Structures are given as structure tokens and as C-alpha cells.
Amino acid sequence: DTPDGTGVRDYIHVMDLAEGHLAALHFAKDHAGCEIFNLGTGKGYSVLEMREAFEKASGRPVPFKFYDRRAGDIAACYADPSKAREELGFEAKHTLEEMCEDTWRWQQQNPDGYKD
């Protein structure tokens, strides 16, 4: 049920996510109660689009295999970030290409992962 048959998800850059959390903390200082905000881009990308963007960023092929959809998986799921934009002043700024480039750069600089 998606353009290329793979799941569509709302990928967000880690720095956008961090900025969104900071905006929510600033909001919480002046507001009582509990609020829910979607910190996404509002745009869905398919698994194959993500793979293609990561191949471009890394300059390497990303091997893959197709499998049957898992029970309960939905075709597309992405955020409606309008409330976060209106009430927090938050909007994701980074593109899918930037996400992949930064992920690849981090991996190259940290081949063994994160270490204290």
C-alpha cells in the first residue's frame, strides 16, 4: 500500500529530536499538566528511499532482502508536527540526506560505536 511496497516512516535527525525535546522542556516550565507533541518531520520516507539516501551518503551499496510484512505492521506511519510547530515553535530542519550524511560521518569517526 505504498509507492514502492516498503514501509513508510517518519525519520528525524537526532539534532532535530534533541531541539524538539528542549523546546518541550521550555514549554513545560510555564505549563502545568501533561501535553503530547509529535516531534517528526511530517513527511514519510519508504525503507527503499532511506536505503537509497544512505547509499548516496556513504558511497557504498546497502544490501537488502525483501521479506513478508510482519503481523501488525502498518504501511505508513508519520507524524503530524503541527501542534509542536504552533505551541513549541519547533520544526524539524534537517533533510533525509543530511540525516544519512551525519549518520555515516559519525559511524566513520566511531567505528566501534559509542564509548564513555
mmCIF file of all heavy atoms in Angstrom, residues 35-53:
data_model
loop_
_atom_site.group_PDB
_atom_site.id
_atom_site.type_symbol
_atom_site.label_atom_id
_atom_site.label_comp_id
_atom_site.label_asym_id
_atom_site.label_seq_id
_atom_site.Cartn_x
_atom_site.Cartn_y
_atom_site.Cartn_z
ATOM 1 N N GLU A 35 1.115 17.324 28.220
ATOM 2 C CA GLU A 35 0.832 17.589 26.817
ATOM 3 C C GLU A 35 1.556 16.552 25.968
ATOM 4 O O GLU A 35 2.603 16.040 26.363
ATOM 5 C CB GLU A 35 1.310 18.983 26.406
ATOM 6 C CG GLU A 35 0.566 20.116 27.047
ATOM 7 C CD GLU A 35 -0.806 20.349 26.424
ATOM 8 O OE1 GLU A 35 -1.027 19.955 25.269
ATOM 9 O OE2 GLU A 35 -1.654 20.937 27.116
ATOM 10 N N ILE A 36 1.019 16.282 24.817
ATOM 11 C CA ILE A 36 1.644 15.347 23.878
ATOM 12 C C ILE A 36 1.953 16.097 22.596
ATOM 13 O O ILE A 36 1.090 16.794 22.048
ATOM 14 C CB ILE A 36 0.722 14.146 23.599
ATOM 15 C CG1 ILE A 36 0.486 13.364 24.881
ATOM 16 C CG2 ILE A 36 1.317 13.263 22.499
ATOM 17 C CD1 ILE A 36 -0.571 12.290 24.761
ATOM 18 N N PHE A 37 3.204 15.956 22.130
ATOM 19 C CA PHE A 37 3.639 16.604 20.899
ATOM 20 C C PHE A 37 4.302 15.558 20.003
ATOM 21 O O PHE A 37 5.064 14.728 20.480
ATOM 22 C CB PHE A 37 4.674 17.710 21.191
ATOM 23 C CG PHE A 37 4.132 18.825 22.015
ATOM 24 C CD1 PHE A 37 4.322 18.847 23.392
ATOM 25 C CD2 PHE A 37 3.435 19.875 21.428
ATOM 26 C CE1 PHE A 37 3.830 19.880 24.167
ATOM 27 C CE2 PHE A 37 2.940 20.915 22.193
ATOM 28 C CZ PHE A 37 3.135 20.922 23.567
ATOM 29 N N ASN A 38 4.015 15.628 18.726
ATOM 30 C CA ASN A 38 4.690 14.768 17.756
ATOM 31 C C ASN A 38 5.912 15.514 17.229
ATOM 32 O O ASN A 38 5.778 16.567 16.603
ATOM 33 C CB ASN A 38 3.764 14.432 16.586
ATOM 34 C CG ASN A 38 2.705 13.430 16.976
ATOM 35 O OD1 ASN A 38 2.989 12.439 17.631
ATOM 36 N ND2 ASN A 38 1.472 13.694 16.576
ATOM 37 N N LEU A 39 7.090 14.970 17.504
ATOM 38 C CA LEU A 39 8.333 15.587 17.051
ATOM 39 C C LEU A 39 8.836 14.849 15.828
ATOM 40 O O LEU A 39 9.804 14.111 15.871
ATOM 41 C CB LEU A 39 9.391 15.549 18.164
ATOM 42 C CG LEU A 39 9.029 16.270 19.447
ATOM 43 C CD1 LEU A 39 10.152 16.140 20.455
ATOM 44 C CD2 LEU A 39 8.698 17.736 19.184
ATOM 45 N N GLY A 40 8.189 15.061 14.732
ATOM 46 C CA GLY A 40 8.585 14.438 13.473
ATOM 47 C C GLY A 40 8.725 15.487 12.401
ATOM 48 O O GLY A 40 8.627 16.687 12.654
ATOM 49 N N THR A 41 8.941 15.006 11.197
ATOM 50 C CA THR A 41 9.060 15.924 10.063
ATOM 51 C C THR A 41 7.719 16.141 9.379
ATOM 52 O O THR A 41 7.551 17.106 8.649
ATOM 53 C CB THR A 41 10.050 15.369 9.021
ATOM 54 O OG1 THR A 41 9.510 14.170 8.470
ATOM 55 C CG2 THR A 41 11.421 15.122 9.629
ATOM 56 N N GLY A 42 6.805 15.202 9.592
ATOM 57 C CA GLY A 42 5.526 15.261 8.901
ATOM 58 C C GLY A 42 5.584 14.660 7.507
ATOM 59 O O GLY A 42 4.613 14.672 6.779
ATOM 60 N N LYS A 43 6.764 14.131 7.153
ATOM 61 C CA LYS A 43 6.944 13.522 5.832
ATOM 62 C C LYS A 43 7.422 12.091 6.027
ATOM 63 O O LYS A 43 8.336 11.838 6.780
ATOM 64 C CB LYS A 43 7.974 14.303 5.023
ATOM 65 C CG LYS A 43 8.256 13.647 3.675
ATOM 66 C CD LYS A 43 8.961 14.580 2.740
ATOM 67 C CE LYS A 43 9.307 13.976 1.397
ATOM 68 N NZ LYS A 43 8.510 12.941 0.873
ATOM 69 N N GLY A 44 6.803 11.185 5.322
ATOM 70 C CA GLY A 44 7.224 9.796 5.401
ATOM 71 C C GLY A 44 8.179 9.444 4.274
ATOM 72 O O GLY A 44 8.065 9.952 3.159
ATOM 73 N N TYR A 45 9.148 8.598 4.593
ATOM 74 C CA TYR A 45 10.084 8.056 3.601
ATOM 75 C C TYR A 45 9.994 6.544 3.654
ATOM 76 O O TYR A 45 9.929 5.957 4.735
ATOM 77 C CB TYR A 45 11.524 8.475 3.903
ATOM 78 C CG TYR A 45 11.758 9.949 3.792
ATOM 79 C CD1 TYR A 45 11.737 10.749 4.919
ATOM 80 C CD2 TYR A 45 12.000 10.546 2.561
ATOM 81 C CE1 TYR A 45 11.959 12.113 4.828
ATOM 82 C CE2 TYR A 45 12.219 11.911 2.450
ATOM 83 C CZ TYR A 45 12.199 12.688 3.602
ATOM 84 O OH TYR A 45 12.416 14.034 3.490
ATOM 85 N N SER A 46 10.041 5.912 2.507
ATOM 86 C CA SER A 46 9.989 4.454 2.473
ATOM 87 C C SER A 46 11.351 3.873 2.845
ATOM 88 O O SER A 46 12.378 4.561 2.800
ATOM 89 C CB SER A 46 9.579 3.961 1.086
ATOM 90 O OG SER A 46 10.663 4.095 0.168
ATOM 91 N N VAL A 47 11.345 2.604 3.175
ATOM 92 C CA VAL A 47 12.589 1.904 3.503
ATOM 93 C C VAL A 47 13.548 1.975 2.307
ATOM 94 O O VAL A 47 14.746 2.217 2.480
ATOM 95 C CB VAL A 47 12.311 0.443 3.905
ATOM 96 C CG1 VAL A 47 13.604 -0.337 4.071
ATOM 97 C CG2 VAL A 47 11.478 0.400 5.189
ATOM 98 N N LEU A 48 13.028 1.819 1.103
ATOM 99 C CA LEU A 48 13.901 1.888 -0.076
ATOM 100 C C LEU A 48 14.425 3.299 -0.317
ATOM 101 O O LEU A 48 15.567 3.474 -0.758
ATOM 102 C CB LEU A 48 13.184 1.359 -1.312
ATOM 103 C CG LEU A 48 12.950 -0.159 -1.333
ATOM 104 C CD1 LEU A 48 12.246 -0.575 -2.622
ATOM 105 C CD2 LEU A 48 14.243 -0.925 -1.152
ATOM 106 N N GLU A 49 13.626 4.320 -0.021
ATOM 107 C CA GLU A 49 14.127 5.697 -0.130
ATOM 108 C C GLU A 49 15.241 5.939 0.886
ATOM 109 O O GLU A 49 16.248 6.590 0.576
ATOM 110 C CB GLU A 49 13.004 6.706 0.089
ATOM 111 C CG GLU A 49 12.024 6.801 -1.050
ATOM 112 C CD GLU A 49 10.848 7.702 -0.721
ATOM 113 O OE1 GLU A 49 10.219 7.539 0.347
ATOM 114 O OE2 GLU A 49 10.560 8.577 -1.561
ATOM 115 N N MET A 50 15.075 5.413 2.100
ATOM 116 C CA MET A 50 16.105 5.543 3.127
ATOM 117 C C MET A 50 17.376 4.827 2.687
ATOM 118 O O MET A 50 18.486 5.353 2.811
ATOM 119 C CB MET A 50 15.597 4.980 4.461
ATOM 120 C CG MET A 50 16.654 4.943 5.548
ATOM 121 S SD MET A 50 17.348 6.552 5.957
ATOM 122 C CE MET A 50 16.185 7.105 7.170
ATOM 123 N N ARG A 51 17.221 3.632 2.166
ATOM 124 C CA ARG A 51 18.370 2.865 1.686
ATOM 125 C C ARG A 51 19.117 3.634 0.595
ATOM 126 O O ARG A 51 20.332 3.747 0.612
ATOM 127 C CB ARG A 51 17.907 1.507 1.166
ATOM 128 C CG ARG A 51 19.003 0.655 0.603
ATOM 129 C CD ARG A 51 18.416 -0.637 0.000
ATOM 130 N NE ARG A 51 19.341 -1.146 -0.982
ATOM 131 C CZ ARG A 51 19.319 -0.837 -2.268
ATOM 132 N NH1 ARG A 51 18.401 -0.050 -2.750
ATOM 133 N NH2 ARG A 51 20.206 -1.343 -3.079
ATOM 134 N N GLU A 52 18.382 4.182 -0.348
ATOM 135 C CA GLU A 52 18.994 4.943 -1.444
ATOM 136 C C GLU A 52 19.741 6.175 -0.919
ATOM 137 O O GLU A 52 20.859 6.463 -1.351
ATOM 138 C CB GLU A 52 17.907 5.369 -2.430
ATOM 139 C CG GLU A 52 18.418 6.126 -3.631
ATOM 140 C CD GLU A 52 17.293 6.511 -4.578
ATOM 141 O OE1 GLU A 52 16.486 5.633 -4.920
ATOM 142 O OE2 GLU A 52 17.221 7.697 -4.941
ATOM 143 N N ALA A 53 19.142 6.881 0.026
ATOM 144 C CA ALA A 53 19.790 8.069 0.595
ATOM 145 C C ALA A 53 21.053 7.680 1.351
ATOM 146 O O ALA A 53 22.068 8.385 1.295
ATOM 147 C CB ALA A 53 18.816 8.799 1.527
#
